[in-house]
Amino acid sequence: MSENKENNSTVNVEQDLNDQMIVRREKLDELRARSLDPFQEVKYDISHSTKDVKDNFDELEGQKVSLAGRLMSKRGMGKSSFADIQDSTGKIQLFVNVKNLPEGKYEDFKHLDIGDVIGLNGEVMKTKTGEVSVRVNDYTLLAKCLRPLPDSWSGLSDTETKYRQRYLDLIINKDSKDTFVLRSLIISHIRKILNEKGFLEVETPILNTVPGGANARPFVTHHNTLDIDMYLRIAPELYLKRLIIGGMGRVYEIGRNFRNEGMSHKHNPEFTMMELYQSYADYNDMMNLTEEIIKSLASEVVGKAEYEWDGHVIDLSKDFARLTMLDAVKEYSGVDFNEIADDAAAFAIAKEKNVETQEIWRKGDILNAFFEEFVEDNLIQPTFIYDYPIEVSPLSKQKPEDPAFTERFELFIAGDEYGNAYSELNDPFEQRARFEAQEGRRSAGDDEGMRIDEDYIRALEYALPPTGGLGIGIDRLCMLLTGNDNIRDVLLFPTMRPVGKEKIANSETTTSASLSTSSSTSSSVTEQAVAEPIDLSKVKVEPLFEDFVDFETFSKSDFRVVKVVNCEEVPKSKKLLKFTLNDGSAEDRIILSGIKNNYSTEELIGKTLLAITNLPPRKMMGEESCGMILSAIHEYDGEEKLNLIMLDDNIPAGSKLY
């Protein structure tokens, strides 16, 4: 019964919207019939902004001004009305009286809709209540709003609509607009600091023939004229260092990078980075510059030193802590990697500590895995972790006194990485060896391994001076400084699944059964729809258990329907996906599942799954997994097949299975 009421309510809301849109279009037709088409207006001269008028009331009182903006409210009182218009700087109240307007204009004003864009002229005044206002003498409708705006009192609360229709979000939510204004100021201030230090801002190619500068999976495209595959850049590093070789002593670039990886509240496939390179500097200079930039942004742009973040208070005014990776791992895991003799011993201690590893790893990789497992989440206040193992630093210069480590650091705040820098590797022979080692990893299945860039090696042979390089993620830094815990809140147009794609997929795969499985062996919806029938003679399943479980024990397992709010890859894990689930309670549930080789993250977002929710929390790769997502497993022609159990999307989250 409640579901029927919900459906009826949705239908009524949609019908109401349609009715309002029809009325607004009829008003537009009427205006056009009177040769008053607002879309024919090409310009409107304004003398002031709403903020100018409010800030300079004493000078402007009684003076004529010309303003333009969006009508946000109307309050009629017979032959007089009050209204509010909003421009890029704020809002101001209008006083509209039939006596002050040309004949017939007041009646037309009453027919304006919320959201219409108007230009007006009038005198600056104050109402009896002391509110700065403009007494309107005339106005012009400049653009007709044909769709009703969301309720300005409750705002635009639906996050999907906020991200997909950012224009609505900016109209309705002042906080959102303030966030993007602050983001712009942050980027401008970074430019100011670097320009004053003699850095030259440059632009490097976004289309690359060799993806390089980072360990990441690139987006691939094809250039028709050249008939070659090209890659959206994953980092500008190798081009920027070519410029240092060419004699540009200090360069930086603020621009977009693209990585074809999982999405989460902290990751977007395209993101903004600031990268800089300074000749005759090292990673210590980069540490000092990083700290200076962030402290300056906090004090001079945002105007405060302390920031609430994920239940912590981050103090950006104090000196940032500095700790080697070896010391950090020893402090938080109890393992001293100075005493780990070789790769075999490293694998042994990883097994003992339940740290996930990969066959192609070496001791340095395992040290890095220990850092991610035991240390990262504990780095709340700003902390530089430095001296990274060579295995995870293919572009960093080795430490002369200990070549197993490199002069590299990362800055961590509240458990997240905010910057990455090193003393740049400038030995062309060593760089080739590092590239070849990365290629070996690619051949072994690591699709994030770097490729050999022959032209970059050629450039190094012309001598790269000792150089310090630094990269800072602008989006994540803006999240911290603006107090937003989701990267989509600091990106004007974040990457989203196209509207309707999920519905199409559902309609093509829906069966009459409400409980079904989705095969991970199919690469697309279309392929699933035309898949050949299974040859049951090739299917092998585990024998049924012979031991019985008493009903009381069985009934203690809490099987619940869950909705996938988000799904992302767990960094550095070849198996794990991290699910953020709606289980019908007020809080998100996090479950990690080792099905990365069977499903992509994007295809699972929005799905309805089945999970056991009352298992004790289990830590996996530094994340607590609270439950288990259920799958069906069988063998087919000697190969193991895994199928997530997917339910009908009409079943509400939190429904209990009996």
Side-chain angles (χ1 to χ4, degrees):
M1 180 68 73
S2 61
E3 283 188 20
N4 288 336
K5 286 182 179 178
E6 220 173 271
N7 292 337
N8 290 336
S9 174
T10 303
V11 170
N12 291 336
V13 169
E14 291 177 353
Q15 183 62 49
D16 185 45
L17 287 177
N18 290 335
D19 291 344
Q20 290 187 56
M21 289 168 62
I22 290 170
V23 170
R24 288 177 181 236
R25 279 161 173 74
E26 289 174 346
K27 289 181 180 180
L28 176 62
D29 291 340
E30 182 184 334
L31 288 168
R32 284 173 167 167
R34 295 165 55 195
S35 299
L36 297 174
D37 187 349
F39 298 122
Q40 296 298 315
E41 301 290 339
V42 295
K43 183 181 178 182
Y44 192 86
D45 291 324
I46 61 173
S47 64
H48 297 79
S49 69
T50 58
K51 186 175 186 299
D52 289 337
V53 174
K54 286 186 170 181
D55 290 349
N56 301 285
F57 171 76
D58 291 341
E59 301 161 22
L60 293 174
E61 185 178 13
Q63 300 295 314
K64 289 187 176 182
V65 295
S66 175
L67 308 177
R70 188 180 297 275
L71 195 63
M72 297 302 292
S73 69
K74 283 169 51 185
R75 304 172 293 283
M77 300 170 60
K79 295 183 179 181
S80 297
S81 296
F82 285 96
D84 293 311
I85 64 161
Q86 175 177 286
D87 64 9
S88 62
T89 64
K91 286 183 182 179
I92 197 166
Q93 181 173 265
L94 307 180
F95 172 65
V96 188
N97 186 279
V98 65
K99 294 179 181 179
N100 299 325
L101 292 176
E103 186 177 350
K105 272 295 191 80
Y106 185 73
E107 198 62 32
D108 286 345
F109 181 84
K110 291 195 293 184
H111 284 84
L112 293 180
D113 291 306
I114 303 304
D116 288 350
V117 177
I118 64 171
L120 62 99
N121 60 72
E123 292 97 28
V124 178
M125 58 169 281
K126 264 188 183 178
T127 62
K128 292 179 181 179
T129 59
E131 183 170 352
V132 176
S133 305
V134 174
R135 182 186 293 109
V136 179
N137 293 331
D138 199 2
Y139 70 91
T140 302
L141 177 61
L142 302 175
K144 183 68 182 170
C145 184
L146 299 175
R147 290 175 175 267
L149 297 180
D151 178 10
S152 60
W153 293 104
S154 58
L156 190 63
S157 57
D158 178 60
T159 54
E160 281 283 309
T161 305
K162 276 178 59 177
Y163 302 143
R164 293 185 186 279
Q165 301 178 43
R166 182 66 79 186
Y167 41 88
L168 279 184
D169 179 39
L170 295 173
I171 291 171
I172 298 299
N173 294 330
K174 183 179 182 299
D175 288 346
S176 288
K177 187 173 182 180
D178 290 345
T179 289
F180 291 108
V181 170
L182 185 53
R183 177 189 170 105
S184 180
L185 294 174
I186 288 167
I187 294 173
S188 295
H189 192 72
I190 293 174
R191 283 194 168 99
K192 177 175 178 286
I193 293 172
L194 297 179
N195 292 342
E196 289 175 352
K197 291 181 178 294
F199 283 86
L200 180 69
E201 184 171 12
V202 297
E203 295 175 303
T204 61
I206 288 176
L207 282 176
N208 297 172
T209 53
V210 179
N215 293 97
R217 186 186 307 156
F219 285 95
V220 186
T221 186
H222 188 78
H223 193 296
N224 291 333
T225 302
L226 298 178
D227 193 24
I228 59 171
D229 283 344
M230 300 191 77
Y231 307 88
L232 296 185
R233 75 172 175 205
I234 55 177
E237 175 170 343
L238 302 187
Y239 283 105
L240 292 172
K241 287 193 284 192
R242 286 174 170 94
L243 299 180
I244 297 293
I245 294 168
M248 292 183 171
R250 300 184 179 199
V251 296
Y252 76 95
E253 182 170 12
I254 298 176
R256 287 296 179 104
N257 292 342
F258 306 84
R259 297 182 184 177
N260 195 358
E261 298 169 347
M263 300 194 306
S264 73
H265 68 288
K266 296 178 183 177
H267 298 91
N268 195 66
E270 57 175 314
F271 58 96
T272 303
M273 284 285 293
M274 185 283 295
E275 284 208 26
L276 65 83
Y277 293 86
Q278 178 181 344
S279 56
Y280 311 111
D282 68 359
Y283 74 147
N284 291 301
D285 297 304
M286 296 299 102
M287 273 193 227
N288 295 335
L289 180 55
T290 303
E291 188 165 348
E292 178 185 345
I293 289 172
I294 292 177
K295 284 183 173 180
S296 179
L297 289 170
S299 62
E300 297 184 39
V301 178
V302 185
K304 63 179 184 178
E306 294 186 346
Y307 297 80
E308 292 187 12
W309 188 256
D310 198 22
H312 304 285
V313 176
I314 310 299
D315 190 343
L316 297 180
S317 65
K318 297 179 180 178
D319 290 343
F320 292 6
R322 302 188 180 195
L323 196 63
T324 68
M325 180 177 281
L326 279 172
D327 289 341
V329 168
K330 182 178 178 180
E331 178 178 342
Y332 289 103
S333 75
V335 177
D336 186 352
F337 268 76
N338 280 320
E339 297 179 359
I340 304 298
D342 51 28
D343 296 345
F347 276 107
I349 194 67
K351 185 176 181 180
E352 178 184 324
K353 294 287 188 177
N354 295 316
V355 175
E356 185 177 343
T357 61
Q358 299 176 24
E359 290 182 7
I360 60 174
W361 280 6
R362 302 191 61 190
K363 176 182 171 181
D365 298 292
I366 297 171
L367 169 61
N368 188 60
F370 267 72
F371 172 76
E372 292 173 347
E373 180 77 23
F374 296 105
V375 181
E376 280 189 4
D377 290 344
N378 294 293
L379 302 177
I380 305 304
Q381 299 305 320
T383 304
F384 289 114
I385 298 295
Y386 63 98
D387 293 355
Y388 275 58
I390 190 172
E391 289 88 346
V392 296
S393 311
L395 298 169
S396 308
K397 180 171 284 191
Q398 290 167 285
K399 293 180 68 64
E401 67 275 16
D402 190 352
F405 292 89
T406 63
E407 293 195 348
R408 174 188 175 191
F409 76 77
E410 288 184 310
L411 172 64
F412 287 87
I413 304 174
D416 289 323
E417 180 235 322
Y418 281 78
N420 184 23
Y422 25 87
S423 303
E424 302 297 331
L425 176 60
N426 60 349
D427 179 342
F429 302 104
E430 177 63 20
Q431 185 62 80
R432 178 177 291 280
R434 302 266 193 98
F435 277 154
E436 288 173 348
Q438 288 287 310
E439 282 281 10
R441 292 190 171 212
R442 282 180 54 78
S443 300
D446 183 357
D447 58 3
E448 294 185 357
M450 289 188 187
R451 309 175 194 211
I452 297 176
D453 188 330
E454 292 290 351
D455 181 71
Y456 177 67
I457 295 173
R458 181 190 301 116
L460 288 180
E461 291 172 349
Y462 285 96
L464 170 68
T467 298
L470 165 66
I472 294 177
I474 297 295
D475 304 325
R476 190 168 292 178
L477 184 59
C478 287
M479 288 169 64
L480 174 66
L481 295 176
T482 63
N484 287 288
D485 61 3
N486 193 319
I487 193 171
R488 292 176 173 180
D489 289 321
V490 298
L491 299 176
L492 281 167
F493 300 101
T495 303
M496 303 287 289
R497 180 187 294 274
V499 175
K501 184 173 181 180
E502 194 61 44
K503 292 181 179 178
I504 293 170
N506 288 341
S507 67
E508 291 183 359
T509 56
T510 298
T511 65
S512 58
S514 61
L515 176 62
S516 62
T517 61
S518 175
S519 173
S520 63
T521 59
S522 298
S523 60
S524 72
V525 171
T526 304
E527 287 176 4
Q528 288 181 16
V530 298
E532 294 181 5
I534 294 176
D535 183 351
L536 296 179
S537 67
K538 296 180 180 180
V539 174
K540 182 180 179 182
V541 298
E542 281 191 35
L544 299 180
F545 289 178
E546 294 183 1
D547 295 336
F548 287 101
V549 177
D550 63 86
F551 186 80
E552 184 179 350
T553 302
F554 166 76
S555 64
K556 291 178 181 178
S557 296
D558 196 5
F559 294 89
R560 297 282 178 162
V561 173
V562 293
K563 306 278 186 177
V564 182
V565 177
N566 193 42
C567 182
E568 58 191 289
E569 296 180 359
V570 175
K572 308 300 181 184
S573 174
K574 284 236 166 188
K575 300 178 182 178
L576 292 174
L577 294 182
K578 176 183 173 183
F579 289 84
T580 303
L581 302 166
N582 173 10
D583 61 6
S585 66
E587 297 183 0
D588 287 340
R589 175 177 295 274
I590 303 297
I591 295 181
L592 276 64
S593 182
I595 60 170
K596 183 176 176 178
N597 295 328
N598 304 91
Y599 291 90
S600 68
T601 56
E602 292 82 1
E603 68 181 302
L604 295 175
I605 296 173
K607 297 294 186 184
T608 303
L609 308 179
L610 181 61
I612 301 178
T613 58
N614 63 337
L615 295 173
R618 184 165 57 127
K619 203 156 193 180
M620 304 164 71
M621 295 293 287
E623 294 268 8
E624 275 203 344
S625 180
C626 302
M628 179 185 291
I629 294 172
L630 297 186
S631 303
I633 298 174
H634 68 279
E635 275 189 22
Y636 187 77
D637 202 14
E639 183 182 351
E640 183 179 87
K641 303 292 184 183
L642 180 144
N643 301 271
L644 274 179
I645 296 178
M646 298 189 184
L647 306 176
D648 190 309
D649 290 332
N650 290 320
I651 304 176
S655 297
K656 183 174 175 61
L657 265 68
Y658 284 95

